[in-house]
């Protein structure tokens, strides 16, 4: 049984696949004015400022934490710089109860939801207040209360998970959807194709949000795929698709609002391809000067999404130079102060090595922990993080004991 | 009590789990209206509807990715991988995602509701790709539970426990026994413990340890040995991960000898892990080296399947060699 109705033809005519050209949805020009004929989305002052604050916070956090990494305070960092509109504009179009399953460069979405600077810092320093109990590298955030799934390093694994999560939401009938973020590079993984295919077959309320930022580490998009970006793949899955200027927060916001409506009201999954640019390096371990020109970067710096929104806010009389200055100062101070405090906090307790592997540690794990504790007592100077904690507390705590940091 | 085969017992377990909890979903390739290529999910779609029992596209990594998402959301997915030989496209989703979901999030999120059912093992003329026993790959992955039942009664009770266990469970079903193994199975909703081995026959000279379809083989070998006056203690490990060190060690402390048998290849097989642990625990009590009777270090063959398999005669010979050491 086939799902298409196909006419018979009698000469071998091959389709080229470029019969459709995919336009780019854009509302806002770089000078902060709207394109002719473009109407602003339904966005009030409070929400516009909430978006802007999250964008500026993300920029400030990224600048400061990269510097901290360079100073040796932090092992690793990844910036969202240049992609703040794509990430935050889309998150703002959702209900705060909708699930976000991100790749790793979407800290802006989490900031928009209300993750505090302190919470960001505790994760990055892997201290005893990190919800992830110091187990993952910096920037692998998660928050159950903010419906932000903990980040996993393997690329694209979150995409079919989002399809499954959203299927569960559909069965629960709670009116919520899931958005999953990924880069144009991750879209080459098999998991991407599995996820989109299953989403349309099973009519799942999920939004696939591709940040096409031009590079997968050093590999440019033209070496990632021969097609016109990621968007045309949607046709193969009979999925609704839109391409949007990813540096135009108003366009991203409106496109995602409409995608959410399709997902939640019609169980129609949607692919959004946001055209943007990774202004920063892939990570603190990467140096883009080896694979792209300053000139190219400068051209994109001219398209700064934060400046674009700021100009629009100013044109609405919702924002001023004084407010900008005060916000920048407040955020810089907050980032610096919370960083210093987070860095000083102790490491998670030793037993967090064996908790959460299973719901309760197995006998083997308890045995291995006991052996390790005995070893650390022999060589405390070799294991200062846990040895100092032991002497401070007298004991590393019972295996399996809740340390109270998870919090559902 | 009813006399059921292993497939019927599994079908009954799924039926009970779906009736008891509407969050339980069964899906996979051909699982829906057709009821699975082995018919383990027969009639479930009729009873519980297409939303809860359905076909998926032919993509194992998608099936398990989808199942991980569902479990994280709070559903109880029971995903079927049609043959254990085809589980490898989903390896990343299982070992990097299912197994680490709770740990990496500090218990903010988990996929404890997940159960993956998959038929494994040889003896059905299935050649390389319908015969493998891949349990050892997964036993190397903390965060997973790996369970293998030996008969219909065990299959029903262990599967119900697996579905309700708050951790992701890989449930390997011995497909050679699907219709060949029959027995009395209570109609009630019952669970058997995960992580616990079972001594199914007491003996004094040697401990024979296996799991799944291989239990039948070591039981037959034990009968042959008994005729030669060798008293065998027969133990079903039941759970490969986490495994019941205490029960195995206690048995070996008593008998002084251990033979472990599995169909999977020798090198890197789970018998090696058991042997290492038991020699550590029982060193001074061992009367002979721990013996492994396994498949060869080859891909699974077809025509010479009988020669490849660790059958009762090979086990019998190894028992005698161990006792005579």
């Amino acid at each position: 049984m086939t799902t298409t109705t196909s006419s018979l033809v009698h000469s071998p005519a091959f389709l080229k696949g470029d019969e459709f050209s995919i336009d780019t949805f854009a509302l806002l020009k770089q000078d902060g004015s709207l394109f002719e004929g473009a109407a602003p989305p339904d966005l009030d002052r409070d929400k516009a400022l909430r978006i802007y604050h999250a964008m500026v916070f993300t920029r400030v956090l990224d600048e400061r934490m990269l510097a901290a990494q360079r100073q040796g305070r932090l092992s690793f960092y990844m910036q969202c710089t240049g992609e703040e509109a794509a990430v935050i504009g889309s998150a703002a179009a959702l209900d705060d109860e909708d699930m976000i399953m991100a790749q790793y460069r979407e800290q802006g979405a989490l900031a928009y939801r209300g993750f505090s600077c302190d919470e960001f810092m505790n994760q990055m320093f892997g201290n005893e207040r990190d919800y992830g109990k110091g187990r993952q590298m910096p920037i692998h955030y998660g928050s159950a209360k903010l419906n932000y799934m903990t980040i996993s390093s393997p690329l694209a694994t979150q995409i079919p998970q989002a399809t499954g999560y959203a299927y569960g939401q559909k069965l629960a009938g709670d009116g919520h959807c899931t958005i999953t973020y990924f880069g144009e590079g991750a879209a080459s993984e098999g998991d991407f194709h599995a996820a989109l295919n299953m989403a349309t077959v099973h009519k799942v309320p999920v939004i696939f949000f591709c940040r096409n930022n031009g590079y997968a580490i050093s590999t440019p998009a033209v070496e990632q795929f021969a097609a016109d970006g990621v968007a045309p793949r949607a046709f193969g899955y009979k999925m609704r698709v839109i391409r949007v200027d990813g540096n135009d927060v108003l366009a991203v916001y409106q496109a995602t609002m409409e995608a959410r409506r399709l997902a939640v009201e019609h169980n129609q999954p949607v692919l959004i391809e946001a055209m943007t640019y990774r202004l920063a390096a892939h990570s603190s371990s990467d140096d883009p000067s080896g694979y792209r020109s300053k000139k190219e970067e400068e051209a994109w710096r001219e398209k700064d999404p934060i400046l674009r929104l700021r100009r629009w806010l100013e044109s609405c009389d919702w924002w001023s130079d004084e407010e900008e200055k005060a916000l920048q100062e407040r955020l810089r101070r907050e980032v610096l102060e919370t960083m210093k405090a987070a860095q000083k906090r102790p490491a998670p307790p030793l037993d967090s090595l064996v908790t959460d592997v299973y719901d309760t540690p197995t006998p083997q794990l308890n045995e291995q922990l006991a052996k390790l504790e005995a070893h650390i007592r022999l060589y405390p100077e070799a294991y200062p993080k846990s040895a100092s904690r032991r002497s401070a507390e007298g004991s590393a705590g019972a295996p399996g004991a809740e340390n109270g940091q998870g919090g559902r | 009590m009813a006399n059921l085969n292993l497939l019927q017992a599994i079908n009954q377990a799924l039926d009970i789990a779906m009736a008891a909890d509407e969050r339980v979903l069964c899906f996979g390739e051909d699982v829906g209206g057709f009821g699975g290529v082995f018919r383990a999910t027969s009639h479930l779609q009729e009873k519980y509807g297409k939303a809860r029992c359905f076909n998926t596209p032919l993509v194992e990594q998608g099936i398990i990715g989808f199942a991980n998402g569902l479990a994280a959301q709070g559903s109880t997915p029971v995903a079927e991988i049609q043959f254990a030989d085809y589980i490898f496209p989903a390896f990343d989703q299982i070992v990097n995602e299912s197994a680490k979901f709770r740990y990496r999030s500090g218990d903010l999120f988990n996929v404890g509701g997940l159960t993956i059912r998959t038929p494994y093992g040889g003896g059905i003329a299935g050649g390389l790709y319908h015969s493998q026993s891949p349990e050892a790959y997964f036993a190397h992955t903390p965060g997973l539970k790996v369970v293998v039942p030996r008969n219909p009664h065990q299959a029903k009770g262990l599967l119900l426990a697996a579905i309700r266990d708050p951790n992701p469970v890989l449930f390997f079903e011995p497909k050679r026994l699907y219709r060949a193994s029959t027995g009395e199975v209570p109609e009630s909703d019952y669970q058997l413990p995960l992580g616990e081995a079972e001594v199914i026959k007491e003996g004094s000279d040697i401990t024979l340890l296996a799991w799944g379809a291989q239990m039948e083989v070591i039981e037959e070998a034990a009968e042959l040995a008994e005729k030669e006056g060798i008293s065998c203690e027969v133990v079903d490990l039941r759970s490969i991960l986490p495994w019941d060190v205490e029960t195995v060690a206690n048995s070996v402390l008593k008998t002084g000898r251990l033979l472990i048998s599995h169909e999977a290849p020798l090198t890197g097989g789970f018998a090696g892990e058991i042997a290492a642990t038991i020699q550590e625990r029982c060193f001074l009590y061992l009367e002979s080296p721990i013996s492994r009777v396994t498949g060869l270090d080859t891909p699974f063959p077809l025509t010479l399947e009988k020669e490849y398999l660790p059958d009762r005669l090979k086990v019998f010979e190894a028992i005698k060699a161990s006792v005579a050491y």
Side-chain angles (χ1 to χ4, degrees):
Chain A
M1 192 176 70
T2 163
T3 55
T4 56
T5 49
S6 187
S7 305
L8 295 180
V9 295
H10 308 293
S11 65
F14 290 85
L15 299 175
K16 286 190 292 182
D18 55 6
E19 286 76 7
F20 298 98
S21 71
I22 298 178
D23 298 332
T24 302
F25 174 53
L27 294 173
L28 200 56
K29 293 191 275 190
Q30 190 59 31
D31 66 6
S33 66
L34 292 166
F35 283 101
E36 204 179 305
D42 181 16
L43 186 65
D44 62 25
R45 179 179 182 274
D46 284 353
K47 190 151 199 179
L49 288 181
R50 183 178 165 193
I51 292 171
Y52 186 68
H53 281 205
M55 288 171 75
V56 175
F57 169 78
T58 305
R59 183 69 61 90
V60 170
L61 180 75
D62 283 354
E63 286 170 1
R64 188 57 233 159
M65 297 320 289
L66 185 73
Q69 194 279 334
R70 293 289 182 249
Q71 292 163 352
R73 288 168 176 250
L74 198 61
S75 59
F76 177 80
Y77 195 73
M78 294 182 105
Q79 295 169 279
C80 179
T81 306
E83 300 177 54
E84 295 92 343
V87 167
I88 297 164
S90 50
L94 305 174
D95 187 291
D96 283 351
E97 300 284 309
D98 292 337
M99 175 51 72
I100 294 177
M101 299 178 89
Q103 182 166 298
Y104 48 55
R105 207 182 295 286
E106 295 86 359
Q107 54 265 46
L110 188 55
Y112 178 83
R113 286 266 169 107
F115 207 61
S116 73
C117 196
D118 196 44
E119 289 174 304
F120 277 107
M121 292 298 171
N122 290 330
Q123 195 286 328
M124 281 185 271
F125 286 100
N127 65 33
E128 63 176 5
R129 290 197 198 166
D130 169 22
Y131 300 135
K133 304 179 189 174
R135 291 169 182 152
Q136 294 214 71
M137 287 169 75
I139 68 96
H140 290 62
Y141 313 109
S143 172
K145 65 178 190 288
L146 299 177
N147 302 297
Y148 190 95
M149 186 62 71
T150 302
I151 300 301
S152 165
S153 307
L155 286 177
T157 51
Q158 78 280 11
I159 313 177
Q161 290 171 12
T163 302
Y165 199 100
Y167 187 82
Q169 289 172 313
K170 175 180 152 182
L171 291 193
D174 58 13
H176 289 120
C177 68
T178 296
I179 191 169
T180 180
Y181 293 95
F182 49 89
E184 86 288 346
S188 293
E189 292 280 3
D191 273 351
F192 165 88
H193 299 276
L196 270 70
N197 189 39
M198 292 180 84
T200 44
V201 168
H202 292 296
K203 300 182 175 59
V204 174
V206 57
I207 301 168
F208 299 102
F209 194 101
C210 178
R211 298 178 288 98
N212 185 340
N213 67 11
Y215 289 89
I217 305 188
S218 74
T219 303
V222 294
E223 292 176 38
Q224 196 67 241
F225 36 70
D228 172 25
V230 172
R233 295 177 203 175
F235 300 142
Y237 304 114
K238 206 171 185 228
M239 184 178 292
R240 299 280 185 97
V241 61
I242 190 168
R243 174 175 287 154
V244 59
D245 177 351
N247 286 21
D248 175 349
V249 74
L250 298 187
V252 171
Y253 178 76
Q254 191 168 6
T256 313
M257 287 279 277
E258 178 58 12
R260 184 180 191 277
R261 194 186 64 76
L262 288 166
V264 170
E265 292 178 17
H266 301 283
N267 289 316
Q268 170 67 64
V270 179
L271 173 62
I272 299 175
E273 183 179 28
M275 307 308 289
T276 182
Y277 189 81
R278 196 196 72 211
L279 271 178
H282 163 70
S283 75
S284 56
S285 311
D286 174 42
D287 174 12
S289 69
Y291 54 83
R292 68 188 191 189
S293 70
K294 284 274 175 233
K295 202 176 147 199
E296 178 186 303
E297 290 179 9
E298 282 312 315
W300 275 95
R301 224 174 281 283
E302 294 297 313
K303 300 179 191 173
D304 184 354
I306 298 184
L307 191 57
R308 197 184 301 189
L309 176 59
R310 182 180 162 187
R311 287 169 174 160
W312 183 72
L313 292 172
E314 286 169 355
S315 76
C316 299
D317 280 331
W318 289 350
W319 196 244
S320 66
D321 283 350
E322 296 71 48
E323 285 168 300
E324 177 72 22
K325 196 166 167 248
L327 177 67
Q328 292 273 355
E329 276 174 17
R330 179 171 70 74
L331 292 178
R332 279 172 210 288
R333 198 169 51 242
E334 186 185 8
V335 166
L336 204 64
E337 283 169 7
T338 52
M339 177 171 69
K340 283 180 182 164
Q343 201 181 359
K344 283 183 196 143
R345 290 191 187 111
L350 189 65
D351 76 297
S352 70
L353 272 177
V354 304
T355 55
D356 306 333
V357 180
Y358 297 96
D359 64 318
T360 50
T362 60
Q364 281 95 332
L365 283 173
N366 286 333
E367 200 177 296
Q368 290 168 22
L369 177 64
K371 210 168 158 182
L372 176 61
E373 284 175 334
H375 175 77
I376 291 173
R377 276 194 292 276
L378 281 179
Y379 297 97
E381 68 288 351
Y383 310 94
K385 279 180 187 162
S386 39
S388 62
R389 194 175 234 288
R390 280 196 66 82
S391 56
E393 294 179 6
S395 156
E402 265 303 321
N403 64 11
Q405 293 165 24
R408 276 178 175 277
Chain B
M1 284 283 200
N3 195 274
L4 301 183
N5 67 32
L6 202 141
L7 268 175
Q8 290 166 325
I10 284 166
N11 184 254
Q12 202 175 86
L14 294 172
D15 194 349
I16 286 171
M18 290 184 86
D21 184 349
E22 65 173 17
R23 293 174 305 176
V24 177
L25 311 173
C26 291
F27 52 88
E29 294 156 14
D30 306 300
V31 158
F34 185 58
V37 294
F38 291 102
R39 320 312 300 275
T41 53
S42 285
H43 306 299
L44 297 177
Q45 190 179 77
E46 282 164 46
K47 283 182 91 165
Y48 302 104
K50 284 186 175 176
R52 292 183 58 202
C53 178
F54 51 91
N55 287 337
T56 63
L58 206 165
V59 56
E60 289 79 10
Q61 67 190 92
I63 292 168
I64 304 303
F66 183 89
N68 278 330
L70 264 171
Q73 179 269 340
S75 298
T76 307
V78 184
E80 177 177 306
I81 297 296
Q82 200 160 78
F83 286 87
D85 310 71
Y86 304 134
I87 204 167
F88 301 110
F91 202 67
D92 188 37
Q93 283 288 348
I94 297 170
V95 305
N96 272 335
E97 298 294 317
S98 312
K100 297 171 175 62
F101 223 93
R102 189 194 301 272
Y103 192 77
R104 74 181 182 216
S105 71
D107 204 23
L108 290 183
F109 301 98
N110 72 79
V111 294
L114 172 65
T115 303
I116 301 170
R117 297 178 37 248
T118 189
Y120 85 96
I124 59 146
L128 285 81
Y129 301 118
H130 298 81
S131 304
Q132 294 177 71
S133 298
E135 69 273 7
Y137 293 111
F138 298 99
H140 200 55
T141 306
L144 297 177
K145 291 193 175 182
V146 180
V147 178
V148 196
R150 71 174 181 275
N151 64 27
H153 175 261
Q154 291 283 316
K156 181 177 170 184
L158 288 170
L159 181 55
L160 279 165
I163 292 169
R164 291 155 180 176
D165 189 86
N167 299 284
V169 181
L170 258 166
F171 193 80
F172 285 105
E173 298 170 0
K175 64 178 170 292
R176 182 169 65 76
L177 303 185
Y178 266 162
R179 290 186 174 81
S181 173
T182 57
E184 292 298 309
V185 177
E187 280 166 39
S188 62
D189 180 347
Y190 66 92
Q191 298 180 40
L192 295 171
L194 306 187
E196 286 184 25
E198 186 183 18
V199 178
I200 60 173
K201 192 184 94 58
E202 295 202 11
S204 54
D205 296 329
I206 184 167
T207 300
L208 309 183
L209 177 66
W211 48 88
Q214 199 60 13
M215 288 309 298
E216 197 179 65
V217 174
I218 63 168
E219 285 183 82
E220 289 169 5
E223 277 175 36
L224 294 175
E226 301 279 345
K227 285 178 192 151
E228 309 255 320
I230 302 168
S231 167
C232 300
E233 178 140 311
V234 179
V235 182
D236 179 2
L237 193 61
R238 300 200 290 189
S239 281
I240 307 298
L241 187 72
W243 68 284
D244 184 352
V245 179
E246 286 310 310
T247 297
V248 179
N250 287 339
S251 175
V252 176
L253 291 176
K254 185 175 82 176
T255 63
R257 297 181 185 88
L258 175 61
L259 180 152
I260 312 155
S261 184
H262 56 61
E263 281 184 22
L266 177 75
T267 303
F270 199 67
E273 177 58 35
I274 297 169
T277 302
I278 294 303
Q279 64 82 23
E280 210 170 56
R281 293 283 293 261
C282 309
F283 188 68
L284 294 175
Y285 293 78
L286 286 172
E287 305 280 351
S288 65
I290 295 169
S291 173
R292 293 177 289 169
V293 185
T294 70
L296 307 182
D297 283 342
T298 66
F300 204 102
L302 180 68
T303 307
L304 299 180
E305 177 175 46
K306 203 164 166 43
E307 284 73 6
Y308 169 92
L309 282 169
D311 63 8
R312 61 184 181 147
L313 297 176
K314 292 180 188 172
V315 176
F316 175 50
E317 284 305 306
I319 293 169
K320 287 192 290 182
S322 181
V323 172
Y325 184 82

